[in-house]
């Protein structure tokens, strides 16, 4: 059985990283703060083998600075789309005077109405996209937290099993 665990690969298993202390820290799940050197720890005869520990999952491989820049960019995108959309609505700063323009230009009235409706629909699509920019990572964060809870339980069971065998 231990041989199966060894052959699963190093991407899924690693030595313990004080996971119980990191559980309360949301930043430990959101991004990687530092690289861990998983293969360099020395094993004493009473320690648990390294291959029995499963690594926790992360939301992203970005650094703290890159993650902050990404969140800021998404927030600016969301606020900007809402601002432009509200400015283009009737009574806004960028209001498209459809009725007045349609009366003054006899041939281009339907084209102007179509263009203004197209711009407003496009802004609705962009607002939906800006919302997805936050909702998809939040859903993935929930999945990562659930998976990490399972990893913590499995690591604890493995640890208890090995200690019972020693």
């Amino acid at each position: 059985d231990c041989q199966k665990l060894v052959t699963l690969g190093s991407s899924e298993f690693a030595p313990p990283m004080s996971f119980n202390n990191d559980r309360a820290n949301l930043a430990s799940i959101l991004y990687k703060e530092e690289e861990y050197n998983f293969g360099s720890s020395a094993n004493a005869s009473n320690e648990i083998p390294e291959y029995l520990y499963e690594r926790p999952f992360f939301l992203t491989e970005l650094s703290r600075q890159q993650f902050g820049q990404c969140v800021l960019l998404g927030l600016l995108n969301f606020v900007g789309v809402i601002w432009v959309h509200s400015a283009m609505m009737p009574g806004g700063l960028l209001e498209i005077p459809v009725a007045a323009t349609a009366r003054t230009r006899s041939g281009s009235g339907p084209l102007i109405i179509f263009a203004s409706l197209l711009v407003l629909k496009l802004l609705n699509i962009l607002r939906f996209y800006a919302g997805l920019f936050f909702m998809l990572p939040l859903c993935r964060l929930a999945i990562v937290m659930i998976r990490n809870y399972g990893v913590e339980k499995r690591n604890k069971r493995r640890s208890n099993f090995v200690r019972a065998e020693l």
Side-chain angles (χ1 to χ4, degrees):
D1 288 329
C2 289
Q3 189 62 27
K4 287 182 184 177
L5 292 175
V6 172
T7 60
L8 285 176
S10 63
S11 65
E12 296 178 14
F13 296 95
M17 301 178 355
S18 65
F19 192 71
N20 293 333
N21 295 337
D22 289 341
R23 186 173 178 204
N25 187 3
L26 187 61
S28 67
I29 297 174
L30 292 178
Y31 48 83
K32 285 189 174 180
E33 291 190 17
E34 61 186 49
E35 287 294 320
Y36 298 101
N37 191 0
F38 293 115
S40 66
S41 65
N43 276 339
S45 61
N46 62 352
E47 286 187 13
I48 300 167
E50 292 180 2
Y51 57 83
L52 289 180
Y53 288 95
E54 214 175 326
R55 289 182 185 172
F57 294 95
F58 296 97
L59 179 67
T60 180
E61 295 286 326
L62 296 176
S63 68
R64 182 180 189 145
Q65 181 182 8
Q66 291 170 334
F67 185 78
Q69 289 172 347
C70 185
V71 169
L72 179 65
L73 182 64
L75 185 63
L76 288 175
N77 180 26
F78 188 71
V79 170
V81 167
I82 289 176
W83 179 67
V84 169
H85 187 268
S86 65
M88 298 208 51
M89 295 303 286
L93 293 174
L94 301 174
E95 178 183 4
I96 301 174
V98 177
T101 309
R103 282 189 224 125
T104 58
R105 298 180 183 172
S106 60
S108 62
L111 182 62
I112 292 175
I113 293 172
F114 175 74
S116 65
L117 289 175
L118 182 67
V119 166
L120 290 176
K121 294 298 178 189
L122 180 64
L123 285 173
N124 283 335
I125 292 171
L126 289 175
R127 187 171 54 182
F128 177 74
Y129 173 76
L132 278 181
F133 190 82
F134 287 109
M135 289 308 297
L136 290 177
L138 285 176
C139 291
R140 186 173 175 341
L141 177 63
I143 291 169
V144 165
M145 291 176 80
I146 291 169
R147 290 177 77 185
N148 281 345
Y149 178 73
V151 166
E152 182 181 0
K153 284 176 59 178
R154 287 189 299 273
N155 282 342
K156 192 175 224 179
R157 275 189 288 167
R158 287 185 193 112
S159 174
N160 292 339
F161 177 74
V162 169
R163 286 191 182 117
E165 293 294 319
L166 292 176

